[in-house]
Amino acid sequence: MQNTKSSKQFFEKAKTCIPGGVNSPVRAFNSVGGIPRFIRSAKGPFLYDVDGNEYVDTICSWGPAIVGHANETVISAIRESMNLGLSFGAPTEGETRLAEIIKKHLPATDMVRLTSSGTEATMSAIRLARGYTNKTKIVKFEGCYHGHVDSLLVKAGSGLLTLGNPTSGGVPDSFAAETIVLPYNNLEKLNDCFNLLGDEIAGVIIEPIAGNMNLVKPDQDFLKCLREQCTKYNSVLIFDEVMTGFRVSMGGAQEIYGIDPDLTTLGKVIGGGMPMGAVTGKKQIMEYLAPIGPVYQAGTLSGNPVAVAAGIATLTIVTKEDFFPKLTKITSEFTRELEKIAKENNIRSFCCDSVGGMFGIYFRQTIPKTFEDMMDSDVNFFKIFFHEMLANGVYLAPSPYEAGFLSVSHEGEAITKILTAAESSFKSINAKKNK
Ligand SMILES: *Cc1c(COP(=O)(O)O)cnc(C)c1O
């Protein structure tokens, strides 16, 4: 039995002063049960908890740790920046350098505004879409999550799916009423919506590869149609690439699918593990932002120099030519092996998919295309598998609706450990079943 004594004690104590003992709901293990592991440190592909257990990490801080935890180059860039002061409330040269790196690699980017989180980025992007078009309605898609922005917490994916809330308390109906929710990958409903309400639609926000209802890829035609309708009705197309930006490829999902969004939101990887987000996009829209435009947007710690240093160091590694081919190969070979092991052990409701350094494990027979597909998976089997894997030293996302993330540091030993753990987990599940 794994020792979890200290995690348990810390969790009990945390619950007395932090709601649910955590500062972001999924960390509480609500959908899998058991004791959330309190983490003391991380290095490369490994996490170490307060009881001294080692885990192969398949979350990578929900994406950012793409070059591995505590990467020497990133840490020394942070240290160097820290020594010069933590925050100035005035512009720094690093912000421009980071903006230039983003602009160089993300096709649809003329300008960049930095924020401190992905939520701030999406919130600012929809305000900008409304300010630019003078229209009010925002379209989003079922199962897509765009941070905890009031009007976007409608049918919003993993965290909320796990809690079983279709939407969140504290969001007035009148806010939610400005949000139109459509099914992902459904061309017909998309066309119907624009034909009926196109003149009122300020913008459409979408995860161009969905990663908050596990991993769900878009149909090319669906994204293409979305672009055409937005152009026709002068609605702002917002690609929320907070998760996929610098994670699925150097130029994000927009590069993979060849679609040109008006605005793109970023977060996660671009901060290299420090708090960071960004709204990026076309000059004529971005210049609606204050101080030159009428749409207000600000932040005391926006463009924080230490976070910017972490971002620049991380993106410098990620944008090397061989980085994505390598990460993509590590990830796709991993999921192929995992499927093979499941098959060899007669696990039928199981399949995988991946893109860049992001993967999905599905407890169903076929790869999901929609939110409904995703909901139709064997959640109980997932829970059992999750705990078997954890006991075998592999930290999977504690929800069947989350995607998984690898880093380049997973190559070799860490991947072998996950596959070995999966094999013994399947065998142990089968043995218990046959008893
Ligand atoms: C994580 C995420 C967000 C929110 O970012 P935070 O930094 O958690 O506020 C928004 N959109 C997508 C697609 C995300 O995955």
Side-chain angles (χ1 to χ4, degrees):
M1 268 297 274
Q2 204 165 50
N3 178 14
T4 55
K5 200 166 150 241
S6 301
S7 278
K8 194 166 181 219
Q9 274 170 4
F10 286 138
F11 190 43
E12 290 310 318
K13 197 163 176 198
K15 283 193 277 192
T16 66
C17 53
I18 298 171
V22 293
N23 283 310
S24 201
V26 71
R27 298 176 196 169
F29 277 25
N30 270 2
S31 72
V32 289
I35 298 148
R37 303 304 195 263
F38 276 57
I39 303 302
R40 175 175 283 147
S41 68
K43 183 71 189 167
F46 299 109
L47 292 174
Y48 300 92
D49 74 10
V50 288
D51 291 289
N53 301 304
E54 179 190 273
Y55 306 92
V56 182
D57 183 16
T58 68
I59 307 180
C60 287
S61 183
W62 302 103
I66 195 165
V67 297
H69 289 287
N71 175 282
E72 301 292 346
T73 311
V74 177
I75 297 287
S76 66
I78 291 173
R79 211 171 267 138
E80 217 168 279
S81 167
M82 235 165 51
N83 288 336
L84 299 172
L86 297 180
S87 169
F88 314 122
T92 58
E93 190 249 334
E95 292 160 75
T96 306
R97 281 195 3 244
L98 181 58
E100 279 175 344
I101 297 174
I102 293 170
K103 184 174 158 168
K104 181 170 171 204
H105 296 286
L106 202 67
T109 297
D110 299 328
M111 304 190 104
V112 177
R113 169 62 58 88
L114 297 178
T115 64
S116 296
S117 70
T119 297
E120 278 180 76
T122 57
M123 179 183 77
S124 302
I126 63 170
R127 185 181 306 137
L128 185 52
R130 285 173 168 146
Y132 178 72
T133 58
N134 262 320
K135 300 195 273 185
T136 56
K137 294 232 180 307
I138 298 289
V139 173
K140 80 172 286 283
F141 296 89
E142 204 173 6
C144 288
Y145 174 68
H146 305 292
H148 55 105
V149 178
D150 279 341
S151 58
L152 298 177
L153 282 175
V154 188
K155 299 196 176 176
S158 50
L160 295 159
L161 296 180
T162 299
L163 291 174
N165 298 339
T167 178
S168 163
V171 178
D173 289 346
S174 57
F175 285 24
E178 298 296 349
T179 309
I180 301 164
V181 184
L182 297 178
Y184 201 82
N185 271 337
N186 187 319
L187 263 177
E188 199 183 315
K189 293 263 166 63
L190 176 67
N191 284 325
D192 287 352
C193 173
F194 268 95
N195 292 340
L196 201 67
L197 294 165
D199 292 329
E200 293 173 53
I201 296 171
V204 177
I205 186 164
I206 184 167
E207 288 184 72
I209 293 172
N212 285 286
M213 47 175 160
N214 208 322
L215 170 62
V216 175
K217 290 179 180 169
D219 292 329
Q220 177 77 45
D221 285 352
F222 175 68
L223 290 184
K224 192 162 162 267
C225 173
L226 192 54
R227 176 65 275 178
E228 285 164 6
Q229 291 286 21
C230 283
T231 303
K232 182 173 168 194
Y233 286 95
N234 189 33
S235 306
V236 176
L237 178 58
I238 306 164
F239 270 16
D240 182 357
E241 301 224 44
V242 169
M243 184 180 278
T244 53
F246 296 99
R247 173 44 81 180
V248 295
S249 81
M250 208 132 87
Q254 55 196 263
E255 180 183 68
I256 293 177
Y257 291 93
I259 304 286
D260 189 33
D262 301 306
L263 296 177
T264 302
T265 51
L266 297 171
K268 300 194 167 100
V269 171
I270 65 159
M274 299 287 283
M276 173 90 73
V279 188
T280 79
K282 305 287 185 228
K283 187 165 186 280
Q284 83 262 23
I285 305 176
M286 291 296 287
E287 289 193 334
Y288 266 66
L289 285 175
I292 46 176
V295 176
Y296 193 70
Q297 199 283 335
T300 303
L301 293 176
S302 291
N304 172 268
V306 184
V308 164
I312 292 171
T314 301
L315 293 190
T316 302
I317 301 170
V318 167
T319 54
K320 288 196 178 120
E321 219 149 82
D322 58 347
F323 184 88
F324 270 102
K326 186 175 168 191
L327 182 63
T328 302
K329 187 161 173 272
I330 293 170
T331 313
S332 62
E333 284 180 359
F334 160 68
T335 52
R336 223 172 301 136
E337 282 299 312
L338 194 58
E339 274 185 333
K340 209 174 101 199
I341 292 168
K343 206 166 176 193
E344 283 163 5
N345 286 279
N346 289 317
I347 306 293
R348 257 170 245 114
S349 289
F350 189 93
C351 58
C352 303
D353 200 3
S354 75
V355 53
M358 187 171 162
F359 67 88
I361 298 177
Y362 316 104
F363 291 84
R364 44 179 283 117
Q365 287 186 5
T366 55
I367 291 171
K369 292 299 295 178
T370 66
F371 175 76
E372 272 164 23
D373 287 350
M374 195 48 235
M375 295 311 281
D376 180 26
S377 34
D378 190 344
V379 174
N380 276 330
F381 189 88
F382 167 77
K383 282 185 203 171
I384 296 165
F385 182 67
F386 172 85
H387 282 292
E388 287 282 346
M389 290 295 275
L390 196 63
N392 282 309
V394 176
Y395 195 94
L396 295 176
S399 158
Y401 308 118
E402 302 286 359
F405 305 92
L406 296 180
S407 75
V408 279
S409 71
H410 280 72
E411 192 179 26
E413 185 197 357
I415 296 287
T416 307
K417 281 191 167 170
I418 307 174
L419 295 173
T420 309
E423 182 155 27
S424 39
S425 297
F426 288 142
K427 287 202 171 15
S428 152
I429 292 168
N430 283 337
K432 281 175 195 160
K433 221 174 12 194
N434 294 334
K435 245 199 262 167

